[in-house]
Amino acid sequence: MDRLSDAAVEQFIAVRRDIHRHPELAFSERRTAALVAAQLGAWGYEVTTGLGGTGVVGQLKRGTSNRTLGLRADMDALPIAEATGAAWASCAHGVMHACGHDGHTAMLLAAAHHLAQHGRFDGTLNLVFQPAEEGGGGALKMMEDGLFDRFPCDAVFAMHNMPGIPQGQLVFRSGPAMASSDYATVTLHGHGGHGAMPHKATDVVVAAASLVMALQTVVSRHVDPLQPAVVTVGAIHAGEANNVIPAEARLEISVRTLDPQVRRSVEQRIRELVQLQAQSFGVCAEIAWRAGYAVLVNDDQQTARALAVARKHFPADQINPQGPMVSGSEDFAFMLERVPGSYLFIGNGADGEPGACMVHNPAYDFNDHNIAPGAAYWIALVNELLSPTP
């Protein structure tokens, strides 16, 4: 298997730390995109910028085959104040790479550099550096700008680090792998009044409390117990004084499922419960439903191909062929709805070891030891899936 030289590993650790020092939020990844574009261009890639706002695509063609392959990395950071104390900590107040997108970008750049110099493939390689994965839907924006029309891919792959898993372990999964994410704002309208005379008001606070409890039955009594789903009421806003019955209450709800049919069913049941609960208390309800990311479903055939590459080039104890489903969400799901492919994890560090701090935490940092195996896997995948025909 092609591996990076020690000098190359150090080079791209430095790139990762540079990106980490200068984090940029969704659709503002201008410095990062410029760095990526400059590097790819210097290595001989045909570079396209501005897809989805700040997205970058680097294309490299070798040989005469019409086969195509896409690899994707995300570039955006999060609005979190860093608390790592690292020498390469964020220079941007209140913004940090708390999910490892700096590392994902560096791994793919390291692979891109090696493949430009030593790639043994026949076909077209499309490297997709995506903005705004963290809730911004950058994948959809790039697709709306013609990503797969301009850069067709027979298959597309992405990799994300995962704390709690031994550093460098590659985790695959066929079928549903990450949850959908949907959000609802429920506003209850009643008739306010004096706390001492509740009979002359319609109390939205009591209605909201009852609705919160009723929503707990959506998963426990409406969803197949073998199907994962989560309904969370994360916020309730109502009233300001202890002796005033407010006229309005607002609930913020998040929903996650791992099956498209369950997703539709849960939405329908929530809508029904909201209206019925409101009616039972004599108040009115409005629901603002915001569809988030889709269920991420890995294609069985492409996952098998990706796993076969890992088994050929990595030791067995560094591979998990069918990891658990994850209740987090990822907008690479939209790309997989358009193009068959697979999304895998690389361990950032087992519990109690460096790199184990969970993502979206002020103390999180990407494990630089993953630059070498992450890039090596991408190199192997390209050379195997686009291998020259005899």
Side-chain angles (χ1 to χ4, degrees):
M1 177 176 66
D2 289 14
R3 293 187 180 277
L4 302 183
S5 67
D6 290 344
V9 171
E10 291 304 314
Q11 174 187 348
F12 288 99
I13 288 176
V15 168
R16 199 284 293 187
R17 293 180 178 182
D18 177 70
I19 296 172
H20 189 93
R21 285 191 191 97
H22 303 92
E24 297 167 302
L25 296 174
F27 297 119
S28 299
E29 308 92 341
R30 297 177 185 85
R31 182 185 186 276
T32 307
L35 182 155
V36 167
Q39 295 284 295
L40 293 175
W43 302 332
Y45 286 78
E46 182 178 339
V47 179
T48 301
T49 61
L51 266 74
T54 47
V56 179
V57 177
Q59 187 177 80
L60 187 64
K61 297 182 179 180
R62 291 280 170 85
T64 59
S65 171
N66 60 5
R67 293 175 300 169
T68 58
L69 180 66
L71 304 181
R72 173 272 208 175
D74 37 19
M75 300 187 294
D76 57 322
L78 284 158
I80 297 174
E82 183 162 355
T84 64
W88 51 89
S90 171
C91 296
H93 178 71
V95 181
M96 71 170 289
H97 272 290
C99 203
H101 296 184
D102 51 338
H104 305 162
T105 296
M107 287 191 300
L108 192 54
L109 283 175
H113 181 246
H114 184 94
L115 287 164
Q117 294 183 323
H118 309 292
R120 302 180 306 278
F121 64 90
D122 182 14
T124 299
L125 174 63
N126 296 313
L127 302 183
V128 180
F129 292 84
Q130 179 206 306
E133 186 280 325
E134 296 289 356
L140 276 177
K141 294 295 185 183
M142 291 191 79
M143 291 164 63
E144 290 168 1
D145 277 357
L147 173 63
F148 292 124
D149 299 316
R150 298 169 64 179
F151 305 97
C153 296
D154 298 327
V156 64
F157 298 86
M159 186 190 316
H160 199 294
N161 79 95
M162 180 56 73
I165 296 174
Q167 181 270 315
Q169 183 178 97
L170 301 175
V171 181
F172 300 83
R173 182 177 178 84
S174 293
M178 297 189 73
S180 61
S181 58
D182 297 307
Y183 309 94
T185 298
V186 174
T187 305
L188 300 176
H189 300 280
H191 181 68
H194 198 294
M197 292 173 279
H199 61 294
K200 293 186 177 182
T202 49
D203 196 335
V204 292
V205 174
V206 175
S210 181
L211 177 56
V212 170
M213 298 308 297
L215 288 170
Q216 308 311 304
T217 68
V218 173
V219 175
S220 67
R221 290 297 179 269
H222 183 70
V223 176
D224 183 335
L226 300 180
Q227 289 280 5
V230 178
V231 175
T232 296
V233 180
I236 302 177
H237 303 278
E240 296 181 1
N242 59 15
N243 64 344
V244 177
I245 296 173
E248 183 177 292
R250 189 176 78 251
L251 295 80
E252 299 291 347
I253 302 169
S254 69
V255 180
R256 295 178 186 267
T257 67
L258 280 140
D259 178 89
Q261 178 56 45
V262 172
R263 184 187 189 190
R264 291 187 291 270
S265 177
V266 166
E267 178 183 351
Q268 179 182 350
R269 185 56 181 158
I270 288 174
R271 288 181 178 275
E272 292 170 348
L273 273 177
V274 167
Q275 295 300 336
L276 292 170
Q277 285 282 311
Q279 291 172 20
S280 72
F281 286 92
V283 302
C284 298
E286 296 178 17
I287 306 174
W289 192 274
R290 304 183 300 283
Y293 293 170
V295 179
L296 187 149
V297 182
N298 285 330
D299 180 81
D300 291 345
Q301 180 180 2
Q302 297 301 335
T303 302
R305 297 176 74 197
L307 176 59
V309 171
R311 283 175 164 159
K312 181 175 180 179
H313 295 280
F314 289 80
D317 63 358
Q318 201 173 338
I319 300 167
N320 182 342
Q322 185 70 351
M325 291 184 285
V326 176
S327 59
S329 303
E330 162 66 66
D331 74 346
F332 187 65
F334 296 122
M335 293 191 181
L336 292 179
E337 289 183 329
R338 178 78 177 271
V339 178
S342 193
Y343 184 89
L344 65 140
F345 290 104
I346 184 167
N348 204 56
D351 291 342
E353 297 178 355
C357 179
M358 187 46 65
V359 296
H360 293 218
N361 185 298
Y364 166 86
D365 194 18
F366 180 84
N367 193 327
D368 284 327
H369 291 298
N370 274 337
I371 298 291
Y377 178 76
W378 283 146
I379 294 165
L381 188 73
V382 172
N383 285 332
E384 292 286 344
L385 297 193
L386 295 180
S387 61
T389 55

